[in-house]
Amino acid sequence: MAIIGNPKYEERIKSHLAKYETKRSAVMPLLYIAQEEYGWVNPDGISEVAEILNLDPTQVKSIAGFYTMYSEKPKGKYWLQVCTDLPCALQGADDFHAWLKDELGVEEGGTTKDEMFTVEHVMCLAACDKAPMLQCNFRYVENLDQDKMRGLLAKWRAEAANGRG
Amino acid sequence: MHILLRGRDIDNIKQLDVYERHGGFAGMKKALAMTPAEVINVVKASGLRGRGGAGFPTGVKWSFIPQHEPVKFVTVNADESETGTFKDREIMEENPYQLIEGSLICAYAIQAKAVYIYLRGEFWDIGDQLDECIEALRAKGYIGANIMGSGYDCEVYTHLGAGAYICGEESALLNSLEGYLGQPRVRPPFPAQKGGGLYKEATVVNNVETLANVPYILNDGADAFKAIGTEQSAGNKIYCVSGHVKRPGNYELPMGTTFRELLYEHAGGPLHEERKFKAMLPSGGSGPIVPLTDEVLDTPMSYEDCANIGTIIGSASIIVMDETVDMTWVASKVTKFFKHESCGKCTPCREGTYWLDKVIDRILDGRGSPDDVTRIADVAENMAGTTLCALGDFAANPIIHTIRHFPDDFAQHVSAQGADG
């Protein structure tokens, strides 16, 4: 599919364009739409966003590259971002992050062979009183330990197998 | 008494009718009955100071906006990204209408055309909730044309960032909102001036917690607000406590409460009973670290008293560390944060954070020499004050102050022979 002409996004794109004084201001929300459509911010998405906003694709690409929440390569079905910043680390987040990579058999930033999970560490997510914690596809999962995490991994695998992931 | 975290006292205050029944929009109604200049004077008289970290007097900031300019904006800084800070999140999750009401009062006071709420990208579900609140308010005539029959028009929008600490810096936030890289601007012109704000129009940028205080100030009066806290630090503050305490979390208490009361009575004391507190970062990663001595514990948490112990209260993101924590490791953690978050525009910050990180890693690995400790202090001192925004200063702080207060923590890692030792 595409973003342009896709009825799924038509209203949202229109409302973002109406919010701002300039078209260019809509580049960030439109990049999120591109990521939603393609699973990552791929060259097609960059070109379409540029076309909608009358920008050069290079300008759009520079914005996508500046921010960490736009992914410039494909990720696993579940993108796990573990906060290992100081407050979380004081509550064992570094060990938790190392254990999780080990459990899934991936290196930092890597994706499991079945393309199910990507694991990486991120900076403070404003959940310091609920450490260890992570974001799974930008949804907060807090107060974690190894048992709870094993349960979640099993649940997500089952959801994916049932097509509900 | 909670002024801000009212979601803890009142069930369902995030429903508009419940918010209205508990005094919601009474402050706005009072503001609309005044002239904009009178509203600014009330906020000035309250003594409210910016809760994002800088502590600048809010009413004074609003008064900088030139009244004759036809187009003005309010931008709400909801980018909450300082290490250890999670207060704005609770305000927006549990008491969202109070933030929007405060933003609208600010908008009326400067006669803004629109309010943009800039949320960190991870807060997309909070953004969805705020969008629903905005629609509910529009349906009841609190947002849009002729607000509450006053003749004043204003729109409110949300905008999501995408993972960049620097966008909490006000001029970087404005660039990001305009669709440019989130990098700081050269000032002047300042955001409050024509040419310096959003779309080059005069703009107030205020933190979430700052604006959430405003409905109370208008409704209960400047004197009621000023009666809370200390002479120079009025009102309540939300203190975010994390690290080695029994009960980490947000605590809303008057400014001027002591660190001891916060950390022992409210946060429950040391996480591990047998260990002593060693140090704290009172303002997240960016403020100077202090040893948790009796003198520090007995210091009131106010702008003026924290200056006396060589630190800042800032955003009040209090990260507590016990005696088992190695301060070289802390310096490394915080440096990695700033290295990652440096936007790359100014050379001292971009290069400085890179080299600080490399040399501290060397020290932690046991490959450093005593000269390396002197070297990182020197690099940090040369970063401070040389960049367009405060990130360069923030990144220098963890190095300068951990070495100053905890030299032994560094000395234990280095030997005179360095790599060959």
Side-chain angles (χ1 to χ4, degrees), chain B residues 70-83:
Chain B
V71 181
K72 288 152 285 193
F73 293 105
V74 172
T75 305
V76 182
N77 188 342
D79 191 55
E80 185 157 68
S81 303
E82 180 62 49
T83 303

Side-chain angles (χ1 to χ4, degrees), chain A residues 16-17 20-26 53, chain B residues 177-180 199:
Chain A
H16 284 306
L17 290 171
Y20 306 103
E21 301 280 306
T22 64
K23 273 189 152 184
R24 186 180 183 125
S25 269
L53 301 178
Chain B
L177 193 43
E178 290 180 15
Y180 293 92
Y199 305 119

Side-chain angles (χ1 to χ4, degrees), chain B residues 78-159:
Chain B
D79 191 55
E80 185 157 68
S81 303
E82 180 62 49
T83 303
T85 314
F86 45 91
K87 63 189 177 64
D88 297 339
R89 182 183 163 195
E90 185 174 344
I91 294 174
M92 293 187 288
E93 279 176 343
E94 304 303 331
N95 192 11
Y97 285 110
Q98 191 164 319
L99 167 66
I100 301 175
E101 184 185 351
S103 309
L104 282 167
I105 294 170
C106 172
Y108 173 74
I110 67 157
Q111 293 288 293
K113 177 185 175 184
V115 174
Y116 288 91
I117 305 174
Y118 187 106
L119 296 134
R120 64 178 294 172
E122 292 85 350
F123 288 173
W124 59 269
D125 51 346
I126 297 175
D128 285 351
Q129 174 172 292
L130 287 171
D131 284 341
E132 285 169 24
C133 294
I134 290 165
E135 284 320 305
L137 289 170
R138 193 188 309 282
K140 288 189 98 169
Y142 291 116
I143 288 176
N146 191 23
I147 291 174
M148 298 167 81
S150 66
Y152 172 61
D153 309 336
C154 188
E155 291 296 329
V156 181
Y157 305 107
T158 60
H159 176 92

Side-chain angles (χ1 to χ4, degrees), chain A residues 19-21 24-25 28 32 63 66-69 84-85 87 90-91 94 124 126-129 135 138 140 142, chain B residues 83-86 89 113 116 120 122 124 157-159 161-163 176-179 182 199 243-244 333 337:
Chain A
K19 258 179 10 186
Y20 306 103
E21 301 280 306
R24 186 180 183 125
S25 269
M28 293 180 75
Y32 277 122
I63 299 294
F66 185 82
Y67 298 96
T68 55
M69 288 178 68
T84 56
D85 217 347
L90 289 169
Q91 303 277 5
D94 280 328
C124 190
C128 322
D129 54 338
Q135 275 191 122
F138 301 148
Y140 280 38
E142 300 171 320
Chain B
T83 303
T85 314
F86 45 91
R89 182 183 163 195
K113 177 185 175 184
Y116 288 91
R120 64 178 294 172
E122 292 85 350
W124 59 269
Y157 305 107
T158 60
H159 176 92
S176 177
L177 193 43
E178 290 180 15
Y199 305 119
H244 289 152
K333 270 283 175 197
F337 176 86

Side-chain angles (χ1 to χ4, degrees), chain B residues 29 34 44 70 106 134 204 218 227 230 249 255 279 308 326 402:
Chain B
K29 199 173 168 190
M34 299 179 198
K44 268 189 191 170
C106 172
I134 290 165
V204 163
L218 266 291
T230 70
M255 295 213 74
N308 290 337
D326 174 2
T402 45

